[in-house]
Amino acid sequence: MHKLQYKILALSLALVAISVMAINAPVMLWAQRDADERVTRSLQARAAVYTAIMQSRSRQMLRMARLTADSSKLGPALADAAEATETVRLLERARKTGDANLALALDVDGRLRQHTGELEPPRLALPGLVARAAEQGLARGILQANGVTYETITVPLSSSLPSGWLTLAYTIDLDLAEFLKRLTGLDVILARSGRDGLMILASTLETVAVDQLAAAIGRGAVAGEGGVAYSADNQDFRIISEPLIPGEDDVRVILQESSTLALQNYSGLRLHLLSIAGLVLILALLAGTWIARSISGPVSKLAGAAQRIAEGDYSEPVKFDGRGELHELAVAFNQMQEGIAEREERITYQAQFDELTGLPNRLCALERLETAVTAAAENRSELSLLVIDLNSLDEVGSSLGHDIGDALLSQAAERMRASLDARHVLARLEADEFLVVMENADIETATEAAEELLRLLGAGVVVRDVNLSLDASVGICAYPQHGKLPKKLLLRATVAKNDARGSRDSICIYEKGREQRNVRQLSVLGDLRRAVRQDEIKLFLQPKINLGDGSVCGAEALVRWDHPSLGFLMPNEFIPIAEQSGNISLITN
């Protein structure tokens, strides 16, 4: 029953768990989707802020660069080679005015003429930058020098025919990243692309998973479309990657926002849902346990009752407290148990007792006879058997009807039972034959009991206002004089009964060797038909002689049987048997 209980409990928990998941999963999915959408919208909005900031910054840098170039008097100084010291002084003032980290003076061909501070490599030429500045009036670019990456802006030293170029360089470092973070509210990563992969120049994050970030950028994050996602440090991030200088992909500004942190806004909802789910599962566990026990308990009782019934015990009913289908099942089971017990009791009774007389039948009589013989052997006491045959019962049944015969038989049995001691066994062996087992009774006591039985039966029995007298034959044998085996005793009492039927005395006591005659009679009866077919029956004619003249006046037909094993049989031995068995016509023919 434990398996059934566990199955019910597991099923209830599974159903509740599936239901909770079916309810919570869409909510958590919606929360995840909403958090992603919020991060996407935030990135899009802040990317627009970043674009506006960078445009404003570019305009400011250009304005400062042009103002510095116009007021620096670097053109005449740069043209006069003797004024190198003055050129450096003017460049330093221009750097400070433009709030730059480096200031460079280039000739019209883009070769470096003077610069502030140390510069590696010292020989530097930027013809492409100068060419683009000459074409567009200014140029922005990326400069790698001194192991540092710079953002540069280049403007002519005069508004007319340029005599050289002024380049202001700004370090791409943490200050720039912090500046952009303050304005956009997002974490900022400044990264430079190179042959060796992505190199982080500055970051507002303490650690950066460069490989994951490079893979995300490689998938092509595009501003305005929500960027792409990557995972690092057990967090999920959304990023948008923009070039620091439009048209220049060497240095990129990566704006990053954590979708994990955004999802934490729903942690209260998630905790609430998990609490509800846990509470529901606990309630389901308790309810499932109660239901499982309420079902498995009665089922276990029914199973135990079924086992008892299988073992033949119908005494204990199923006790079940409660109402509903299980109570009805228990009631039906008890009714079934009572019905089986009644039927088995009836079958057992019918197997051991005669239905008409209520006496033990042949099977039960043999069992009781064996018990009595065993007890007599243990106690070294005597035991007597009476086999009673109601001779005239067949004639009554055939002439007055079987219902009269059954009533007569029933009353005869009742009268015999009333006349016998209660400790003696009276049983019906077959149609009109009865057995009496008398313990602690010798031959004399058995003979007296037989005489009393014959007197009562001969006195007449009233059946439907008709007084009918019964003729009976009684055979008697005793233990241990006539045998020690129950079946042998019954056989010898029957032999004595048969002798009683053929004698003038209705009571016969078994005589030793009398059953051999019965065996011989059975052998004769069994061989009679074979003897006729094989011409073992011989016909002899005995003549009749007239005593007056001595002539033969006739003959008497005599029959003899030349039996192959029993020898020459006289008619008085096989003719009565043939008449009783209905085979006399074979001999007559």
Side-chain angles (χ1 to χ4, degrees):
M1 291 302 106
H2 290 295
K3 291 184 178 179
L4 175 62
Q5 183 174 346
Y6 293 150
K7 287 181 180 179
I8 295 174
L9 184 58
L11 179 60
S12 61
L13 288 178
L15 291 176
V16 172
I18 291 173
S19 301
V20 170
M21 290 176 61
I23 295 174
N24 289 351
V27 176
M28 297 308 299
L29 182 62
W30 171 84
Q32 180 70 47
R33 187 175 301 173
D34 184 69
D36 290 342
E37 291 178 355
R38 289 178 58 190
V39 171
T40 299
R41 289 194 298 268
S42 174
L43 279 175
Q44 291 174 350
R46 297 183 187 192
V49 172
Y50 163 79
T51 301
I53 291 171
M54 295 307 290
Q55 289 176 352
S56 175
R57 179 173 176 273
S58 297
R59 288 193 296 268
Q60 183 179 0
M61 289 173 61
L62 175 61
R63 185 168 57 252
M64 291 297 297
R66 283 178 175 172
L67 179 62
T68 301
D70 290 342
S71 62
S72 64
K73 299 179 182 182
L74 280 171
L78 186 61
D80 188 354
E83 298 292 336
T85 303
E86 180 64 17
T87 302
V88 172
R89 187 185 67 78
L90 292 175
L91 278 175
E92 181 64 23
R93 188 175 66 180
R95 183 189 70 79
K96 292 181 179 180
T97 303
D99 196 18
N101 298 101
L102 286 177
L104 294 81
L106 307 176
D107 61 14
V108 292
D109 294 324
R111 291 187 297 271
L112 178 64
R113 296 292 299 276
Q114 294 293 339
H115 59 84
T116 60
E118 297 294 329
L119 185 64
E120 292 291 340
R123 296 179 180 180
L124 186 66
L126 302 172
L129 186 65
V130 171
R132 192 164 64 251
E135 180 182 349
Q136 299 177 359
L138 63 97
R140 295 180 64 192
I142 300 299
L143 175 64
Q144 183 75 24
N146 299 335
V148 180
T149 303
Y150 297 93
E151 177 189 7
T152 64
I153 183 167
T154 302
V155 295
L157 289 175
S158 63
S159 56
S160 58
L161 184 64
S163 57
W165 303 89
L166 173 63
T167 298
L168 297 178
Y170 300 88
T171 305
I172 301 175
D173 56 8
L174 183 59
D175 290 338
L176 177 59
E178 293 287 354
F179 167 74
L180 294 177
K181 179 179 180 179
R182 286 194 301 271
L183 295 180
T184 61
L186 297 176
D187 283 313
V188 177
I189 301 170
L190 301 175
R192 185 171 183 271
S193 301
R195 288 178 297 179
D196 296 333
L198 193 69
M199 182 177 68
I200 303 300
L201 301 176
S203 172
T204 58
L205 296 171
E206 293 182 1
T207 59
V208 178
V210 179
D211 294 337
Q212 293 91 328
L213 185 60
I217 295 174
R219 290 195 295 268
V222 180
E225 295 184 5
V228 294
Y230 80 99
S231 298
D233 298 332
N234 298 321
Q235 289 195 60
D236 297 326
F237 297 96
R238 285 293 185 92
I239 61 172
I240 288 182
S241 178
E242 288 285 341
L244 178 64
I245 300 172
E248 297 284 344
D249 288 334
D250 289 345
V251 177
R252 304 190 70 85
V253 178
I254 302 170
L255 304 177
Q256 173 175 291
E257 186 168 4
S258 173
S259 56
T260 301
L261 294 177
L263 189 60
Q264 287 181 355
N265 295 329
Y266 296 94
S267 59
L269 174 61
R270 180 164 50 189
L271 180 61
H272 180 68
L273 291 176
L274 290 177
S275 300
I276 293 177
L279 179 61
V280 171
L281 286 176
I282 291 174
L283 293 177
L285 178 63
L286 296 176
T289 303
W290 178 77
I291 293 174
R293 289 181 177 177
S294 64
I295 293 177
S296 62
V299 172
S300 178
K301 291 182 179 180
L302 292 176
Q307 182 65 30
R308 290 196 305 273
I309 291 176
E311 296 172 355
D313 181 9
Y314 310 101
S315 59
E316 184 178 352
V318 179
K319 297 179 181 179
F320 179 75
D321 298 329
R323 294 292 182 268
E325 291 80 1
L326 291 176
H327 176 71
E328 295 177 0
L329 178 61
V331 171
F333 197 91
N334 286 332
Q335 293 175 350
M336 179 191 71
Q337 176 175 289
E338 293 174 359
I340 293 175
E342 291 177 358
R343 285 192 295 273
E344 184 165 322
E345 184 179 356
R346 185 166 62 251
I347 292 172
T348 303
Y349 178 82
Q350 291 175 350
Q352 296 181 344
F353 293 88
D354 177 56
E355 186 175 1
L356 179 62
T357 62
L359 299 176
N361 60 14
R362 185 180 188 88
L363 178 63
C364 184
L366 291 175
E367 292 178 354
R368 296 191 179 185
L369 176 59
E370 291 179 358
T371 302
V373 170
T374 301
E378 292 176 353
N379 300 328
R380 296 183 179 182
S381 59
E382 293 183 302
L383 174 72
S384 296
L385 269 69
L386 281 69
V387 174
I388 305 167
D389 189 1
L390 303 180
N391 301 327
S392 58
L393 187 62
D394 290 339
E395 297 177 1
V396 173
S398 59
S399 59
L400 300 180
H402 292 292
D403 54 342
I404 299 294
D406 290 343
L408 179 60
L409 181 65
S410 179
Q411 289 199 30
E414 182 63 31
R415 182 164 293 186
M416 286 188 290
R417 181 163 46 192
S419 68
L420 292 171
D421 195 302
R423 56 193 174 90
H424 300 327
V425 177
L426 173 64
R428 183 185 180 189
L429 294 179
E430 49 192 16
D432 55 358
E433 194 171 271
F434 295 85
L435 170 67
V436 179
V437 180
M438 301 178 66
E439 297 186 51
N440 297 316
D442 54 12
I443 294 294
E444 184 179 354
T445 303
T447 303
E448 293 176 357
E451 291 174 350
E452 179 65 17
L453 289 174
L454 292 178
R455 186 187 65 79
L456 291 174
L457 294 174
V461 177
V462 178
V463 178
R464 297 183 182 179
D465 298 330
V466 178
N467 192 348
L468 300 173
S469 177
L470 286 174
D471 180 24
S473 301
V474 181
I476 302 174
C477 75
Y479 171 90
Q481 298 97 309
H482 301 142
K484 297 182 178 180
L485 297 178
K487 290 185 179 180
K488 184 68 70 174
L489 290 171
L490 180 60
L491 173 62
R492 290 175 176 175
T494 303
V495 170
K497 181 263 301 179
N498 293 335
D499 291 342
R501 291 188 66 177
S503 66
R504 288 178 296 178
D505 192 357
S506 298
I507 300 175
C508 277
I509 300 173
Y510 172 75
E511 296 179 5
K512 186 175 181 181
R514 293 294 294 172
E515 72 270 21
Q516 296 178 357
R517 177 184 175 188
N518 282 15
V519 173
R520 182 182 179 92
Q521 289 178 344
L522 290 175
S523 177
V524 169
L525 178 61
D527 294 340
L528 186 59
R529 288 182 176 273
R530 177 187 56 76
V532 174
R533 289 195 304 269
Q534 298 182 6
D535 294 329
E536 293 179 5
I537 304 297
K538 306 299 183 181
L539 180 65
F540 293 88
L541 296 177
Q542 179 172 305
K544 291 184 179 182
I545 300 175
N546 189 336
L547 294 179
D549 55 7
S551 62
V552 177
C553 61
E556 181 183 3
L558 302 177
V559 66
R560 300 290 185 270
W561 184 356
D562 189 7
H563 196 281
S565 59
L566 299 179
F568 206 74
L569 301 181
M570 299 299 290
N572 63 343
E573 186 172 358
F574 63 87
I575 291 298
I577 296 176
E579 290 176 343
Q580 293 174 4
S581 63
N583 293 319
I584 191 62
S585 60
L586 297 176
I587 299 177
T588 302
N589 292 334

